[in-house]
């Protein structure tokens, strides 16, 4: 959560000057890239925007398999119906207002993995971890799975501290700090300093000054929280609250039950003021599409083999106008194809449907041909969907790389050249 750290303890260092604060944190110039030692020693978390691409790259770098983040532009039922299923959870970004503590659980229930946010700007990682650690079917990867086991008996506060002290999570989160373009592994120092200086200035401003509720609300920062079903109960997981909040038993579609709470928060904004975002964590569509492609390829191959037996020379009777797209080999996939993620192992594991087994024993060539053409049409749609998903993943990589690129060096070089040019003009 940016701009708010009500639970963070600030020591006497908050009274030092800005220059001393910077020098004690990083000895070199703030515009210079942070060294590996600087990055290792920094305990903070950088701010992350509500960009699905950034969350997807975080999931990938965490080692989490089979999960994708998609933005939700509306809570209308028609829009929600297009989300890939299952939907594991929602992440809601909004201007934070403290919830009534009486609505929270007295303690974290057994079976709910919930962590507090105990360090500033870590809410993106906390929201992600609060969701994925509550879905047993998700492959967390070696590092996060070990972390989940290690923190299984921790309180929410201790889990939050563990996240802040877990270098693996911190390094993935801070990979979105501005970086030198020629070395993507070196964080830019300015993002680190901005985060630390913000905390220092807040602490100085608040010291000895009693704040009103209106002031706290007007200056509240933006924050990520999670909604998800766990064991047939709908939960709101807000890392800034001491405990999770149960919103009731899941009756049917849990997304419909989460809508009122989210919409109530949206209604607090003035008309035309868009200060929130909603992201969904869903099963990666490629996990369904590629096996479906494998089944399709295997079925087309089986029908082609049957046609060779029932009607030898059948390929000569296929309309020449559709040979290129349907009967030919120019676009039709009939073998493993890594461009679509299709391997021989997937083809070997693909199970034919009962209808396909029946057709493979059919002696009516026209029926086999008709079904084969249907499958080829379906394959064209599958290939298009897979390409779109892969292009979306590539776009995520590019967006994340652009976010991490440090344009400061280029700007400094530009300003330096302009200064030299101006000085030369004066001398002339």
């Amino acid at each position: 959560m940016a701009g708010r750290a009500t639970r963070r303890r600030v020591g006497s260092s908050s009274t030092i000057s800005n220059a001393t604060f910077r020098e004690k944190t990083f000895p070199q110039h703030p515009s210079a890239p942070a060294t590996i030692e600087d990055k290792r020693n920094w305990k903070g978390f950088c701010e992350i925007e509500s960009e699905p691409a950034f969350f997807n790259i975080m999931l990938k770098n965490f080692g989490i398999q089979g999960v994708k983040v998609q933005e939700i532009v509306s809570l209308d039922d028609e829009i929600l119906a297009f989300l890939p299923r299952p939907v594991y959870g929602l992440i809601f970004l909004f201007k934070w207002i403290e919830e009534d503590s009486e609505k929270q659980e007295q303690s974290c229930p057994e079976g709910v993995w919930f962590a507090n946010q105990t360090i500033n700007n870590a809410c993106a990682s906390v929201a992600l971890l609060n969701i994925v650690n509550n879905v047993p079917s998700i492959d967390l990867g070696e590092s996060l799975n070990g972390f989940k086991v290690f923190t299984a008996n921790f309180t929410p506060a201790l889990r939050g501290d563990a996240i802040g002290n877990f270098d693996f999570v911190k390094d993935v989160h801070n990979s979105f700090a501005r970086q030198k373009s020629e070395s993507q592994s070196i964080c830019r120092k300015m993002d680190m300093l901005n985060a630390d200086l913000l905390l220092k200035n807040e602490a100085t401003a608040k010291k000895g000054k009693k704040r009103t509720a209106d002031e706290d609300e007007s200056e509240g920062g933006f924050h990520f929280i999670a909604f998800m079903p766990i064991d047939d109960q709908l939960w709101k997981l807000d890392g800034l609250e001491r405990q999770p909040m149960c919103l009731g038993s899941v009756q049917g579609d849990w997304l419909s039950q989460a809508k009122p709470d989210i919409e109530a928060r949206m209604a607090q904004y003035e008309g035309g003021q868009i200060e929130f975002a909603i992201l969904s964590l869903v099963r990666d569509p490629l996990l369904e599409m590629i096996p479906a492609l494998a089944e399709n390829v295997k079925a087309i191959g089986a029908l082609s083999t049957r046609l060779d037996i029932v009607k030898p020379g059948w390929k000569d009777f296929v309309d020449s106008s559709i040979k290129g797209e349907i009967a030919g080999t120019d676009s039709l996939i009939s073998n493993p194809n890594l461009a679509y993620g299709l391997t021989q192992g997937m083809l070997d594991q693909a199970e034919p449907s009962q209808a396909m087994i029946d057709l493979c024993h059919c002696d009516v060539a026209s029926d086999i041909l008709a079904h084969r053409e249907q499958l080829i049409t379906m394959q064209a749609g599958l290939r298009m969907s897979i390409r779109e998903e892969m292009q979306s993943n590539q776009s995520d990589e590019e967006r994340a790389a652009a976010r991490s690129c440090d344009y400061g060096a280029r700007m400094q070089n530009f300003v330096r050249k302009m200064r030299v040019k101006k000085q030369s003009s004066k001398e002339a």
Side-chain angles (χ1 to χ4, degrees), residues 24-71:
K24 282 192 173 185
T25 309
F26 303 112
Q28 300 179 17
H29 193 276
S31 64
T35 65
I36 294 177
E37 188 67 21
D38 290 336
K39 183 179 178 183
R40 184 182 299 114
N41 291 336
W42 189 56
K43 302 302 181 183
F45 280 63
C46 69
E47 272 189 310
I48 294 181
E49 300 91 327
S50 59
E51 167 60 59
F54 302 161
F55 282 80
N56 280 322
I57 299 304
M58 285 177 67
L59 288 171
K60 177 182 177 181
N61 293 341
F62 279 146
I64 298 172
Q65 303 290 323
V67 181
K68 184 169 185 178
V69 175
Q70 294 189 352
E71 185 171 17

Side-chain angles (χ1 to χ4, degrees), residues 38-160:
D38 290 336
K39 183 179 178 183
R40 184 182 299 114
N41 291 336
W42 189 56
K43 302 302 181 183
F45 280 63
C46 69
E47 272 189 310
I48 294 181
E49 300 91 327
S50 59
E51 167 60 59
F54 302 161
F55 282 80
N56 280 322
I57 299 304
M58 285 177 67
L59 288 171
K60 177 182 177 181
N61 293 341
F62 279 146
I64 298 172
Q65 303 290 323
V67 181
K68 184 169 185 178
V69 175
Q70 294 189 352
E71 185 171 17
I72 298 178
V73 297
S74 168
L75 288 175
D76 292 342
D77 292 338
E78 295 78 7
I79 299 297
L80 296 179
F82 280 101
L83 287 175
R85 288 326 196 247
V87 180
Y88 298 124
L90 300 179
I91 294 179
F92 182 43
L93 171 69
F94 68 107
K95 197 168 185 179
W96 189 78
I97 299 174
E98 188 170 5
E99 192 75 57
D100 184 356
S101 60
E102 293 184 359
K103 297 180 181 180
Q104 302 169 29
E105 299 295 308
Q106 293 300 314
S107 61
C108 187
E110 186 177 352
V112 176
W113 195 98
F114 173 70
N116 293 140
Q117 180 192 335
T118 60
I119 188 168
N120 215 48
N121 293 333
C123 55
S125 288
V126 171
L128 275 179
L129 294 176
N130 276 339
I131 292 178
V132 298
N133 281 324
N134 285 296
V135 184
S137 61
I138 290 179
D139 181 359
L140 297 175
E142 182 179 357
S143 296
L144 286 188
N145 188 62
F147 179 75
K148 179 181 178 180
V149 172
F150 175 69
T151 59
N153 296 321
F154 284 17
T155 64
L158 286 177
R159 286 177 183 149

Side-chain angles (χ1 to χ4, degrees), residues 85-342:
R85 288 326 196 247
V87 180
Y88 298 124
L90 300 179
I91 294 179
F92 182 43
L93 171 69
F94 68 107
K95 197 168 185 179
W96 189 78
I97 299 174
E98 188 170 5
E99 192 75 57
D100 184 356
S101 60
E102 293 184 359
K103 297 180 181 180
Q104 302 169 29
E105 299 295 308
Q106 293 300 314
S107 61
C108 187
E110 186 177 352
V112 176
W113 195 98
F114 173 70
N116 293 140
Q117 180 192 335
T118 60
I119 188 168
N120 215 48
N121 293 333
C123 55
S125 288
V126 171
L128 275 179
L129 294 176
N130 276 339
I131 292 178
V132 298
N133 281 324
N134 285 296
V135 184
S137 61
I138 290 179
D139 181 359
L140 297 175
E142 182 179 357
S143 296
L144 286 188
N145 188 62
F147 179 75
K148 179 181 178 180
V149 172
F150 175 69
T151 59
N153 296 321
F154 284 17
T155 64
L158 286 177
R159 286 177 183 149
D161 290 341
I163 291 173
N165 292 320
F166 192 13
D167 287 342
F168 173 74
V169 169
K170 180 168 68 72
D171 290 346
V172 170
H173 183 109
N174 287 339
S175 65
F176 293 98
R178 300 292 183 182
Q179 297 174 339
K180 292 288 287 183
S181 58
E182 63 267 24
S183 177
Q184 292 299 311
S185 64
I186 304 177
C187 283
R188 188 187 177 195
K189 192 178 301 177
M190 287 303 294
D191 278 2
M192 298 178 180
L193 284 169
N194 286 338
D196 284 347
L197 190 57
L198 177 62
L199 287 176
K200 170 191 173 291
N201 290 338
E202 278 188 345
T204 302
K206 291 178 180 178
K207 190 173 183 181
K209 178 183 177 182
K210 187 174 182 180
R211 303 178 61 81
T212 66
D214 290 340
E215 287 177 324
D216 281 336
E217 181 174 335
S218 65
E219 296 185 14
F222 290 92
H223 177 56
F224 293 103
I225 65 174
F227 293 84
M228 70 176 302
I230 305 173
D231 295 334
D232 298 324
Q233 301 284 327
L234 179 61
W235 292 89
K236 179 168 73 71
L237 308 175
D238 182 348
L240 288 183
E241 304 294 352
R242 294 188 180 278
Q243 303 295 343
M245 182 182 298
C246 182
L247 301 180
S249 299
V250 174
Q251 305 290 336
D253 182 14
W254 72 268
L255 292 174
S256 298
Q257 291 180 245
K259 283 172 57 175
D261 192 279
I262 297 175
E263 289 174 336
R265 294 176 184 274
M266 290 179 175
Q268 296 174 0
Y269 298 105
E270 299 177 359
Q273 201 176 22
I274 303 177
E275 295 187 333
F276 51 82
I278 309 173
L279 306 176
S280 62
L281 266 73
V282 301
R283 179 176 168 85
D284 188 345
L286 288 176
L287 295 182
E288 303 290 342
M289 294 177 182
I290 297 177
L293 179 62
E295 293 178 12
N296 178 280
V297 169
K298 194 167 185 176
I300 292 173
L303 293 183
S304 298
T305 300
R306 184 61 181 171
L307 283 169
D308 288 337
I309 298 172
V310 173
K311 193 176 183 65
W314 63 273
K315 295 178 183 178
D316 296 334
F317 294 93
V318 177
D319 187 343
S320 60
S321 66
I322 60 174
K323 274 188 176 181
E325 281 297 318
I326 295 183
T329 58
D330 292 342
S331 60
L332 180 65
I333 295 178
S334 56
N335 294 297
N337 191 313
L338 295 182
Y340 292 94
L342 186 63

